[in-house]
Amino acid sequence: MLELQSFAAGQWVAPDAGARQMFSAVTGEVIARGGATLDMQAMIDHATGVGGPGLRAMNFHQRARMLKALAQYIDSRKEELYALNPLSGATRADGWIDIDGGIGTMFVFASKGRREMPDGDIHIDGGVEQLSRGGSFLGQHVALPLRGVAVHINAFNFPVWGMLEKLAPALLAGVPCIVKPATATCYLTEACMRIMLASGLLPEGAVQLIIGGTGDLLDRLGPQDVVSFTGSADTALMLRSNPHLLKRGTRFIAEQDSLNCSILGPDVTPDAPEFDLFVKEAAREITTKAGQKCTAIRRIIVPQALLDPVGEALAARLQKTRIGDPALETTRMGALAGAGQKRDVITNLQKIAAEARYLCGEGDVTELDGLDPRTGAFMKPALLCCAEPDDAHHIHETEAFGPVSTLMPYRDLAHATTLANRGGGSLVASVITHDPKVAQTVLHNSGAWHGRLYINDRDSMGEATGHGSPLPHMIHGGPGRAGGGEEMGGIRGVMHYMQRVAVQGSPRMLTAITGQWVPGAEEITPETHPFQLTFDEIEIGHTIKTAAREVTLEDIEHFAHFTGDTFYAHLDDSAAAANPFFPGRVAHGYLLLSFAAGLFVQPDPGPVLANTGLNALSFQKPVSPGDQLWVRLTAKRKTRRTEEYGELRWNVTLYNQDDEQTAEYELLTMVCYSR
């Protein structure tokens, strides 16, 4: 039997006399025990006094590299987790979602942290706001890591992914975490936590683990702390109603169970590829993890004319599902997480069955692959049909958190979306259609009720990730019954653990605070052309102002005929003059960019390796033949990318002979750390 330990204030704490038992979902036997009385204030103090400072000693990119290395280390030892996975009733395929899915989520956040966050300790949120006529008083939104602790309370169905998908954005933000997994499957969470700590990659105090109850932990949290919860709506309501959390304004993020739905478009016929796709998607969502997914399809909404064809095809597919020992490669559906979970599912299934009839799955399991059907928390996938969904209530309000779904008909698309919305808010809704107008209508009518809308058809089915797969790039959460919260969503998920601050001041102040040059701040003239300086030698604010060159009519005509861009505004003076934007013939915008490069580039070999991009190009004033063009080039922002070179972003501004701004853009170059 496994003796599961908490990890609190830097120490592993063995279970005490009040420890709880964990049972095998497959045999019902006791497999582990864990839980001890912990000093919750000591855990908070360790997190905020040791873990937080340790994380904040690194910048965003360093923490992103830490996440990547941590994901690689867990990946190298993931078979230890797969060895425990069948105890939870999950097959290898189920475990892939949990284990490899969690590792993959950490990789994505690591990548996004380095690509989308600064190589510093202040996150810049949006652009500079002009707050004064002359530009001497500006505004900039920034974000800083909270100075508290993140408490993660996770569900039983994904003991690894549930922990890692919350840890990744919190650690990237720089906030230490206390993880509280659901007791039923916490042996997998504990094993993963041991692997992470063994890596030596995390600062002391960055993560802690509670096996068992949280005691008075929530009562002790304050305005700099975050509670992120995944689980039932009832438990979420109880937790978020804690008077101490409410009084102190503690952030509370909830991802709750929901009655997700899938709609078959009215354009689909039984011989269309979308029909088979719909049946396969529904069957997979009913059987994967034995239906124990917060994103599983609970309501299947189809055109009235296709109610019987869909019901027959889906029931036939579900009846072929091989149920049994999740350790067997041939098993397609394992067990529910435990006997208690099975009882809850059957209780709610009976409520749904009072409003619907069984198409398959009624009664107990009588045959299991490799096991005695009298053992374990197994049940057959159940498909029910409600012919009158408008009059029903339980099918829209009661979730049987297992391999259960209800089929129902709709009259028209407006009726379909009305039924979809009766779930009261969900994590995901899907629509299988080949008609863009159907997808557009569903989005307009139902988008406000669902956190994610998954649209699939013959064009995307080969690469689509599935109705029930929340991806780290996209938000995971939903309104109403789904909890009203969000997780993941790339850097959006990181922001839950940061405080957005509106900073106001002069360009010089904003540049110093953000580490990013703001127009109007000091311009530093280097002794050497900046293209001959290494990455570390270049300073933010390094500026060169070029000599001017005249833009001639011959230049414009040559560029037009050489490139093929013979737009009338460049070659026909009377037509151009009739255009309200131009005084007459004008230079091509791209000709101006080429001239600009010719003016500011230093051509000799040096630390600058390549121009890798051009952002936010805009033109403010047309350039006419005879105008003089000059350029200001300023080092704006520096980001280390590899061990050999970093990215340098330059502000490039073009002016005419009257010092009027004609164009502006951001130039990206890769610059070596050494010559």
Side-chain angles (χ1 to χ4, degrees):
M1 183 169 63
L2 299 172
E3 293 283 309
L4 305 181
Q5 297 182 325
S6 298
F7 186 70
Q11 301 293 325
W12 286 103
V13 182
D16 59 23
R20 296 179 58 182
Q21 294 179 327
M22 296 92 196
F23 302 89
S24 167
V26 178
T27 66
E29 297 172 340
V30 177
I31 55 173
R33 62 185 292 270
T37 301
L38 302 173
D39 185 339
M40 297 300 171
Q41 189 60 52
M43 295 183 73
I44 294 172
D45 292 344
H46 188 64
T48 58
V50 180
L55 286 168
R56 293 193 301 273
M58 298 184 282
N59 64 28
F60 292 112
H61 282 211
Q62 290 168 330
R63 292 193 291 266
R65 293 188 187 96
M66 175 192 74
L67 283 181
K68 180 179 180 180
L70 188 59
Q72 290 172 327
Y73 187 80
I74 299 171
D75 189 62
S76 72
R77 295 181 58 180
K78 65 185 177 184
E79 288 305 320
E80 298 173 39
L81 303 176
Y82 277 109
L84 295 172
N85 180 62
L87 296 174
S88 69
T91 65
R92 176 85 185 195
D94 295 335
W96 183 87
I97 301 171
D98 186 31
I99 299 167
D100 275 281
I103 295 168
T105 296
M106 295 195 83
F107 276 124
V108 169
F109 273 99
S111 176
K112 283 188 165 290
R114 295 203 55 203
R115 290 201 316 268
E116 300 177 28
M117 302 190 81
D119 188 13
D121 56 7
I122 296 176
H123 180 63
I124 300 171
D125 182 23
V128 173
E129 299 289 344
Q130 190 88 9
L131 304 179
S132 61
R133 184 184 298 274
S136 64
F137 185 66
L138 306 173
Q140 173 71 67
H141 288 96
V142 301
L144 301 165
L146 293 172
R147 295 301 183 101
V149 62
V151 176
H152 294 161
I153 303 173
N154 298 326
F156 67 84
N157 52 342
F158 291 106
V160 177
W161 176 85
M163 174 173 65
L164 300 184
E165 63 94 5
K166 286 184 172 67
L167 281 180
L171 294 176
L172 180 56
V175 176
C177 305
I178 297 174
V179 179
K180 163 60 179 85
T183 301
T185 54
C186 64
Y187 44 86
L188 269 162
T189 310
E190 193 237 30
C192 187
M193 179 66 74
R194 287 186 179 276
I195 290 172
M196 289 193 294
L197 292 172
S199 73
L201 295 166
L202 292 166
E204 184 181 352
V207 293
Q208 298 177 78
L209 175 69
I210 296 174
I211 300 295
T214 56
D216 62 352
L217 175 61
L218 299 191
D219 296 342
R220 297 176 177 274
L221 299 180
Q224 287 287 305
D225 302 316
V226 181
V227 177
S228 183
F229 168 81
T230 299
S232 72
D234 290 341
T235 304
L237 177 61
M238 177 191 70
L239 295 176
R240 72 161 83 233
S241 300
N242 182 298
H244 299 282
L245 299 183
L246 295 173
K247 181 179 180 180
R248 297 165 187 161
T250 305
R251 296 186 189 186
F252 192 97
I253 305 166
E255 185 266 289
Q256 301 168 187
D257 52 21
S258 64
L259 289 155
N260 313 294
C261 68
S262 185
I263 300 171
L264 181 63
D267 58 300
V268 178
T269 57
D271 59 346
E274 286 76 19
F275 185 90
D276 289 338
L277 170 63
F278 185 79
V279 171
K280 290 176 182 177
E281 286 260 14
R284 181 172 65 235
E285 291 304 317
I286 293 169
T287 57
T288 299
K289 289 287 288 188
Q292 299 168 116
K293 291 171 56 183
C294 56
T295 54
I297 297 172
R298 304 301 180 194
R299 297 174 300 143
I300 303 169
I301 305 172
V302 304
Q304 179 74 58
L306 293 182
L307 184 65
D308 290 339
V310 170
E312 292 167 3
L314 183 52
R317 190 174 187 89
L318 291 173
Q319 287 170 331
K320 295 177 182 177
T321 304
R322 299 190 66 167
I323 309 168
D325 186 348
L328 297 176
E329 292 184 4
T330 54
T331 296
R332 291 295 171 262
M333 190 175 90
L336 296 165
Q341 174 64 13
K342 180 178 178 180
R343 286 192 297 271
D344 289 343
V345 172
I346 292 175
T347 297
N348 288 332
L349 175 57
Q350 290 170 344
K351 295 178 183 178
I352 296 169
E355 299 177 341
R357 61 184 175 88
Y358 279 95
L359 297 182
C360 69
E362 187 173 11
D364 295 330
V365 173
T366 57
E367 184 178 351
L368 292 175
D369 284 1
L371 292 170
D372 185 335
R374 295 171 295 181
T375 65
F378 293 90
M379 64 179 291
K380 293 184 287 188
L383 178 65
L384 298 93
C385 179
C386 178
E388 301 293 338
D390 292 336
D391 300 329
H393 298 281
H394 285 301
I395 65 170
H396 303 298
E397 299 170 4
T398 301
E399 181 180 29
F401 199 70
V404 179
S405 193
T406 304
L407 179 67
M408 62 194 74
Y410 68 81
R411 296 182 298 274
D412 53 36
L413 204 51
H415 184 217
T417 54
T418 297
L419 293 174
N421 299 347
R422 281 193 62 186
S426 79
L427 298 172
V428 56
S430 60
V431 56
I432 306 301
T433 179
H434 195 52
D435 185 345
K437 292 183 179 179
V438 171
Q440 186 180 49
T441 299
V442 172
L443 176 62
H444 284 169
N445 292 356
S446 283
W449 286 97
H450 310 284
R452 176 165 58 91
L453 183 62
Y454 170 82
I455 303 166
N456 201 1
D457 67 355
R458 68 193 70 176
D459 296 337
S460 57
M461 58 190 287
E463 293 186 317
T465 51
H467 164 105
S469 298
L471 301 175
H473 318 70
M474 312 297 288
I475 61 165
H476 179 51
R481 181 189 174 113
E486 288 182 3
E487 297 179 324
M488 300 194 296
I491 302 306
R492 296 174 187 85
V494 181
M495 296 298 290
H496 294 309
Y497 301 95
M498 304 185 74
Q499 178 61 47
R500 186 181 285 109
V501 182
V503 179
Q504 298 168 291
S506 68
R508 182 174 71 92
M509 286 295 183
L510 293 188
T511 296
I513 288 169
T514 64
Q516 176 172 291
W517 185 81
V518 175
E522 181 183 8
E523 298 173 8
I524 305 168
T525 303
E527 295 182 1
T528 304
H529 192 286
F531 279 22
Q532 291 299 307
L533 299 176
T534 66
F535 181 88
D536 292 319
E537 290 172 339
I538 295 173
E539 299 178 28
I540 298 299
H542 263 172
T543 300
I544 61 168
K545 295 179 179 179
T546 71
R549 71 162 292 166
E550 181 179 354
V551 179
T552 68
L553 190 60
E554 290 74 20
D555 292 331
I556 297 171
E557 292 180 344
H558 174 74
F559 189 83
H561 295 297
F562 181 71
T563 63
D565 182 358
T566 56
F567 185 62
Y568 73 85
H570 310 304
L571 298 180
D572 187 330
D573 195 65
S574 59
N579 187 316
F581 285 94
F582 304 126
R585 294 173 68 177
V586 296
H588 304 69
Y590 295 113
L591 171 61
L592 301 180
L593 298 190
S594 299
F595 281 165
L599 289 169
F600 68 69
V601 165
Q602 210 286 343
D604 297 334
V608 174
L609 298 175
N611 169 1
T612 58
L614 184 154
N615 296 331
L617 170 64
S618 62
F619 297 100
Q620 290 77 47
K621 186 178 179 63
V623 173
S624 302
D627 281 352
Q628 299 285 322
L629 183 72
W630 65 275
V631 182
R632 181 189 67 196
L633 176 76
T634 303
K636 176 182 178 181
R637 178 173 166 181
K638 297 167 65 175
T639 304
R640 293 183 179 275
R641 290 300 183 197
T642 72
E643 294 182 359
E644 291 81 28
Y645 58 83
E647 176 188 87
L648 215 146
R649 299 189 177 212
W650 307 84
N651 174 271
V652 184
T653 312
L654 284 60
Y655 298 91
N656 64 17
Q657 66 277 1
D658 298 319
D659 293 340
E660 296 172 316
Q661 185 171 315
T662 63
E664 184 178 30
Y665 60 94
E666 182 182 69
L667 175 69
L668 280 63
T669 61
M670 294 300 172
V671 182
C672 285
Y673 300 138
S674 60
R675 289 183 174 79

